[in-house]
Amino acid sequence: MIHSIAQKEFISTLRDTRFVVLSALVLALLLAATLVGRASYRTLQQERQLAQGTVNEQFRNQPARHPHRVAHYGSFAFRPKSGLSLLDSGVDSFTGSAVYLEAHQQNSVNFSAAQQSGSLLRFGEMTVAFVLQLLVPLLIIFLCFGAFTQERETGTLKLLLSQGLTMRQVAWGKIRGYGQAVALVVAPTLLLAAALLFAGEEFASDLDLAARLGLFVVSYAVYFFLFVVGAVVVSARQTSSRAALVTLLGFWILSGIILPKATANLGASLFPASTKAQMDADVHEEAQHGLNGHDPQDKRAAALKADLLKKYGVDSEEKLPVSVAGLQMAAGEEYSSKVYQQHFAALNATYERQNRLSDWAGLLNPYQAIRPLSMGLAGSDFAHYVHFQQAAEAYRYSLVQRLNGLQASMGYGDKERRLDASTWRELPVFAYQTPGLGWALPQLLLPIVALLLWAGLLSWLGLRLIAKTSVA
Amino acid sequence: MRIFWILFSYEWRHFRAAKGLVLLCGLLLLTGLYGIYYGTTEIERQRQHLAALPELTRRNVAELQEKFPGPADAGDIGYYHSRFAVHHPDAWAALSLGLRDVNPSYVKLRLLGLQNQLYAADNTNPMKMLSGNFDLAFVLVYLLPLLIIALSFNLLSSEREEGILVLLLAQPVRPADVVGAKLIFRMSLVLGLALLLSVVGMLWAGVPADGRVLTWLLLTVLYCLFWFGVALVVTALQRPSAVNAVALLGVWLLLVMLVPSLLNLAVAAARPVPQGIELTIKQREEIHAGWDRPKTETMNRFFALYPQWRDTATIRERFVWRWYYAFQHLGDLAVAPQAAAYARGLQQRYDLVEQLNLLSPAINAQSSLNALAGTDLPTHLAFQRSATRYHDSLRAFYYPFLFRKVEFTHDDYAREPTHTFTSRPELATTYRGLTKLLLSVAAVYGLGMVLLRARPINPR
């Protein structure tokens, strides 16, 4: 019986021209967004690979130079786009794509798409995730708002129940029928996305990506499921179609537009972060004077030199086999990097506290559960971005320290000499690997739990409510 | 006229009786107040951040004065001394934050090459930027249309569905009066709310009482009228309430979400911005090649641009600051075409959006409000130009020290050029926006009138 109700809802949905037009529109948008996402993924990835290749080549083909000059010449780290970012570009448009890596200082990640798009980007980005997260639920609302109210208004609900069915069974039948209709709209896109992802040679046989895509699909299935259930429940509880529609649309606006903004801004107000200028100045000051503020750099430098003289048992700098300047650079870099890392970690902790508010709101608002989950799986969330920043900083530090080591090994009077051009070819170039699903999943526990709670509670509580609803 | 007032006063009684609508209006008022609160605190926070910068410069100078107690080589000072070019917000920015969160509001400048300093981003939380600002402009542009839709999706249809319309039209009342009274009642309500919020916002943000007040109010009124016009068109189609709600929400979705995001894609494809990163890479190559080039070659290129320093001493030392700064500057000049192309690319994108925003009054209203508040892209580009001029004036200040070998004393810190830049409104853009909004309003009301004429109101 449930099956035939599902069948009836599915078929009558397909017969409803308004719904077919709307679905066709959503499907077209989804397919277009997939193709556009793929194209922009390709262009960006190629641009960044090309740029990374160029700077790596430039680095390896430097003329004979003093190592510290090379440390200042530095390098660039480009953030590769993650495979699934073609479905959900997450915060990618707001993070910038490249960071300049040089001695003594840690630069910001510059040139974000948001800076280049003017105000338009703020209205929302046409990505698959945008359509899936906001437009498909709207489609579901339009599809399901009359599920019970219409039956009641036309008097068919009583007829149905006189067949010996319970309200609960009718509800399940409707949920199944609508679920099939939604799947019909969404499935082609996800299939196309999968085909695009795995047909391209750059991703072929990538298990991690397949797992991410699988979870991505499952998450959205749960998300749509709870919207279908929610809409059916609201429809059963409201007296008229109009009231059901208005209630559902109100919820959509609140959850999709107002709450995400409000929580993000509230988080930023509650946990203010420092500016880059302030942070750089603080790092500089601490690195200069030491954490206790009693140890100016000159004194430390003199102590380092005295230690070296003692260690090698010589009485003057000229007789040392190592360059004091090089070792000083290394010690300074080690210290200032440590200080920077502390400040950087504190800053990110502040940002995470800001974002945590939004994540917890996921318990109240399914949109704020699917959004972090979706971009986390797509590798385009804040955590993945920080992972890249840290990888770039780790590379910068190791590169500069290697160069400082080279300088130290040149011995006294290194400033007058240069190292051979072939030296630079032996240094490793920056290569970044997006972390795997195993790394990403633990951080997505809260949204996963929130989504499952929503789905579970809604089907349990909602259907209990439906069962208790009066028929008339 | 008397009939109109009777209808109007009955609408008021109906409205007061409908708890849901009163609640909705109250909710919008509260979100509006939160938007104003958030916008003003955000701008206040930016002001505080900017106000802390002179202190950082003072600390930097104090450190240098300690490091160089006597007269110093100006080259050292130029290298270690950092100051800030600062983009102060206008009071209006609190009501429409625009791009002030995406673009940095200050640039830290040393005497080195400008280009790799000019684009440095500030610390930002990308998640917050993704969610966007909750300012008054957001409430007016996004949420107010929703209130209008909620108030007028069943303008006539509910009366018809409840069977009241038949009774009403049986009285000596023209259908146009009914529609007019209902529409004007809702308009006065929403416009009252919007104007109240705007005035509260203006007082809260402390904007100067100039012509911009009127422009803002006019923009708000026209934008509201546009949405009432859409409601009128949908009413004139005389469909059931549920269909009206879906249609109105569809229009909202189209104009507020779909058209902007599709336009963003189209504009990005039509006006590709030259990659900023190419510029920085090229500048790095130029600057670092400066170390390896013969010094006379560098200096001759520099003297060709600045002949006034040609008669200075020939460089024989292994390292000297004036040579160092000369090749830093030449590095900037080498990428001047790229830098200009980058800024031009951004401006062209902006201009194209300006031309196309007739497609969506929402984009038009948003960009007009941003332009009015001086928080849009052109203002940021103007700030970058201003920062560039400041860098020029710093170089001009240091060159005599460097080339004439004048020593830099403690007094000279205070003689350094300073920088100040405050957002200026793009009034021309705002007025164009106003005109286009007027056109959109005329178009929807024209359509509504034609539809009402063509199909007399059917009471059943």
Side-chain angles (χ1 to χ4, degrees), chain A residues 152-180:
Chain A
R152 230 186 250 131
E153 280 154 12
T154 52
T156 44
L157 189 59
K158 276 182 194 157
L159 291 178
L160 254 179
L161 295 181
S162 66
Q163 307 289 313
L165 274 171
T166 61
M167 281 289 274
R168 195 184 282 262
Q169 282 170 314
V170 177
W172 273 122
K174 284 178 181 287
I175 290 169
R176 255 177 70 178
Y178 294 136
Q180 282 171 7

Side-chain angles (χ1 to χ4, degrees), chain A residues 18 29 36 47 51 55 58 63 65 69 72-76 78 90-91 94-95 98 100 105 108-112 114-126 130 134-135 138 142 145 242 245-246 249 252-253 257-258 260-262 264-266 268-269 272-282 284-285 288 347 351 354-355 371 375 382 385 415-416 418, chain B residues 31 34 38 45 49 52-53 56 59 63 79 84 98-99 101-104 106 108 110 119-134 138 141-143 146 153-154 158 161-162 241-243 245-246 249 252-253 256-258 260-265 267 273 275-277 280-281 284-285 288-289 291-292 318 342 346 349 353 362-363 366 370 376-377:
Chain A
R18 274 176 311 173
L29 278 174
V36 167
E47 268 172 18
V55 295
Q58 284 173 345
R65 277 173 173 168
R69 283 270 322 290
H72 273 286
Y73 176 76
S75 186
F76 286 89
F78 289 87
V91 297
F94 295 90
T95 54
Y100 180 36
Q105 71 183 45
S108 52
V109 186
N110 291 345
F111 297 110
S112 72
Q115 291 177 323
Q116 300 172 350
S117 307
S119 331
L120 268 190
L121 196 71
R122 312 314 280 277
F123 285 90
E125 255 180 303
M126 184 43 82
F130 171 78
L134 287 173
L135 302 189
L138 205 57
F142 288 148
F145 76 92
R242 203 178 80 200
L245 182 64
V246 171
L249 290 179
W252 180 82
I253 289 159
I257 296 171
I258 299 181
K261 250 184 217 283
N265 288 326
L266 193 65
S269 304
S274 68
T275 58
K276 174 124 179 83
Q278 186 72 49
M279 188 172 124
D280 284 351
D282 293 346
H284 172 75
E285 203 150 288
Q288 281 278 300
L347 178 73
Y351 287 154
Q354 293 180 356
N355 298 339
R371 195 173 64 156
M375 58 175 120
F382 183 62
Y385 167 61
K415 279 191 179 159
E416 307 297 326
R418 295 169 174 200
Chain B
T31 32
Y34 176 70
Y38 179 75
R45 190 162 43 236
H49 283 161
L53 296 178
L56 295 184
R59 259 159 68 182
E63 184 191 322
Y79 188 83
F84 297 92
L99 296 177
D101 59 336
V102 170
N103 289 320
Y106 61 87
K108 184 173 160 184
R110 295 197 285 160
Y119 304 102
D122 198 0
N123 286 342
T124 49
N125 179 356
M127 273 304 287
K128 192 205 155 210
M129 290 201 286
L130 174 71
S131 297
N133 292 316
F134 203 126
F138 163 73
V141 173
Y142 280 71
L143 302 185
L146 291 171
F153 78 101
N154 51 3
S158 72
E161 282 151 17
E162 288 160 18
S241 298
V243 176
V246 172
L249 217 83
W252 181 83
L253 200 66
V256 176
M257 299 189 107
L258 287 181
S261 58
L262 290 173
L263 201 59
N264 186 32
L265 286 178
V267 168
V273 171
Q275 281 293 304
I277 196 66
T280 19
I281 293 177
R284 176 183 73 147
E285 281 305 294
H288 284 269
W291 290 95
D292 304 315
R318 188 181 62 86
Y342 184 67
L346 295 181
R349 258 191 194 184
V353 175
I363 306 178
Q366 177 77 71
N370 285 346
D376 224 341
L377 184 77

